[in-house]
């Protein structure tokens, strides 16, 4: 007999993680479960319990940065999968959300989450290749952030983030300053690069600590940057050179197939691998 009840203090949901769970799922999906919260960080978690043991969980949370969709995280214990519990938890998530905005999640298309999303009729609204590249030294006119710091990295990062997401997951303007500052705080300056145009930063390729690979976020600062392809290539090549010199073996690009300068560049760079990610939504 399965009972579904609100999350309680003392609930240990780590048993829901299968062996070889995707690190991104552990950090962002699994980590979402927890006590109820209200206001800006609104969240509700329900736990499915059998014989006193958690066998599944579903969380719906407010997305403060991208307010167009709720975030959903559904998880079922490995021994309890393929018996309809995930589908039941998705139905409960639809009831949990305070309004009709879609539920969204990040899934790997080749894993259970992707198959589950397809079976649920989810729409993929963004594809991320998560291209992996072995850094090599290449000539570039760009400079690392250590060689030439920028006055307000947070403002540049929020400007870049705003236009990259505008068409498919607009940023809440009230969160733009916070987001830029939060991103800037994690940037690895000596592995990040800027291509300059007449004294102004034109393109950024910024490195973040990532698990399991170093993550590179790269695009022009302005969507309509003159010579944007060339500036982005220079920034990426400089960042990859710095990574190679620092002994970094593999970097993973945190990009989207709609990124107009980064996506074509990634098709030209020798690729060591990829770990595709789909952003999906259900009504
Ligand atoms: C994704 C997950 C929640 C699915 O839970 P579940 O209880 O197995 O889901 P259901 O039994 O309701 O499956 C519904 C349908 O999804 C599809 N599906 C689910 N898992 C699948 C898999 N591993 N391979 C292929 N299809 C799968 C099937 O069509 C299935 O119907 P069927 O069993 O009649 O063929 C579970 O595998 C899990 O916890 N994965 C790790 C966390 C995760 O990726 N969550 C993403 C969702 S936000």
């Amino acid at each position: 007999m399965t009972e579904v009840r609100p999350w309680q203090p003392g609930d240990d949901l780590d048993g829901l993680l299968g062996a070889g769970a995707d690190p991104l799922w552990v950090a962002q999906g699994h980590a979402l479960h927890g006590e109820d919260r209200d206001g800006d960080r609104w969240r509700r978690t329900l736990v499915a319990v059998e014989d006193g043991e958690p066998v599944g969980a579903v969380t719906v949370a407010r997305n403060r940065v991208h307010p167009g969709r709720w975030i959903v995280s559904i998880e079922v214990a490995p021994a309890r999968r393929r018996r309809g519990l995930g589908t039941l938890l998705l139905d409960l998530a639809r009831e949990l959300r305070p309004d009709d905005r879609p539920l969204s999640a990040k899934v790997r298309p080749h894993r259970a989450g992707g198959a589950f999303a397809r079976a649920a009729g989810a729409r993929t609204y963004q594809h991320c290749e998560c291209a992996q590249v072995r850094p090599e030294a290449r000539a570039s006119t760009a400079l690392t952030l250590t060689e030439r710091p920028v006055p307000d990295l947070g403002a540049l990062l929020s400007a870049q983030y705003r236009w990259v997401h505008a068409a498919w997951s607009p940023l809440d303007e009230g969160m733009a300053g916070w987001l830029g500052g939060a991103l800037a705080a994690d940037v690895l300056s000596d592995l990040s690069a800027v291509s300059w145009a007449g004294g102004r930063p034109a393109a950024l390729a910024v490195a973040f600590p990532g698990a399991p690979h170093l993550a590179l976020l790269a695009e022009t600062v302005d969507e309509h940057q003159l010579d944007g392809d060339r500036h982005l290539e220079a920034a990426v090549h400089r960042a990859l050179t710095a990574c190679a010199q620092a002994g970094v073996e593999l970097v993973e690009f945190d990009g989207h197939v709609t990124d107009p300068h980064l996506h074509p560049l990634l098709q030209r760079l020798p690729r060591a691998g990829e770990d595709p990610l789909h952003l999906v939504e259900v009504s």
Side-chain angles (χ1 to χ4, degrees):
M1 176 72 181
T2 311
E3 178 205 358
V4 182
R5 52 136 178 92
W7 185 92
Q8 294 173 356
D11 274 346
D12 180 358
L13 301 180
D14 284 353
L16 303 182
L17 287 171
D22 180 10
L24 185 77
W25 173 260
V26 179
Q28 296 191 10
H30 179 76
L32 208 63
H33 307 309
E35 75 279 349
D36 285 0
R37 294 190 302 226
D38 289 313
D40 266 7
R41 304 184 66 219
W42 186 94
R43 168 175 79 181
R44 294 290 181 272
T45 296
L46 299 177
V47 180
V49 179
E50 286 175 7
D51 301 324
E53 286 298 315
V55 291
V58 57
T59 297
V60 177
R62 180 186 296 272
N63 190 332
R64 294 188 299 159
V65 177
H66 300 287
R69 301 175 179 92
W70 298 99
I71 304 171
V72 67
S73 164
I74 299 173
E75 202 166 13
V76 172
R80 195 55 187 74
R81 291 180 188 173
R82 300 301 292 272
R83 284 150 69 186
L85 183 53
T87 303
L88 171 80
L89 294 173
L90 175 59
D91 287 341
L92 293 173
R94 291 187 170 104
E95 291 168 23
L96 269 182
R97 64 183 157 174
D99 62 38
D100 283 349
R101 278 175 287 171
L103 298 167
S104 68
K106 295 178 181 177
V107 296
R108 301 280 184 201
H110 54 286
R111 285 182 175 250
F116 175 71
R118 285 191 292 278
R123 182 180 83 89
T124 300
Y125 63 92
Q126 185 55 268
H127 296 247
C128 308
E129 294 183 306
C130 304
Q132 296 163 352
V133 170
R134 285 190 209 294
E136 283 173 22
R138 287 162 187 262
S140 168
T141 52
L143 297 168
T144 68
L145 279 173
T146 319
E147 291 165 336
R148 182 171 176 183
V150 295
D152 188 350
L153 181 60
L156 293 180
L157 287 167
S158 62
Q160 184 193 58
Y161 194 95
R162 179 184 293 109
W163 78 257
V164 163
H165 291 85
W168 50 274
S169 194
L171 168 65
D172 182 338
E173 270 312 311
M175 295 299 292
W178 171 85
L179 180 77
L183 289 171
D186 287 341
V187 165
L188 303 168
S189 299
D190 49 343
L191 304 181
S192 301
V194 177
S195 177
W196 295 80
R200 206 176 49 78
L204 305 172
V206 283
F208 297 91
H213 309 299
L214 189 95
L216 263 193
L217 191 73
E219 250 304 343
T220 52
V221 178
D222 186 280
E223 180 177 8
H224 304 293
Q225 172 64 48
L226 193 67
D227 276 340
D229 290 325
R230 184 176 60 76
H231 281 295
L232 184 73
E233 184 167 60
V236 166
H237 282 178
R238 184 67 191 96
L240 288 175
T241 300
C243 288
Q245 286 162 349
V248 175
E249 288 184 4
L250 203 64
V251 303
E252 186 168 300
F253 281 85
D254 181 358
H256 319 93
V257 294
T258 51
D259 295 347
H261 307 104
L262 178 64
H263 184 64
L265 171 61
L266 287 178
Q267 309 318 302
R268 301 197 297 274
L269 282 181
R271 195 174 288 199
E274 58 188 19
D275 193 8
L277 188 67
H278 286 179
L279 309 193
V280 298
E281 64 175 7
V282 288
S283 304

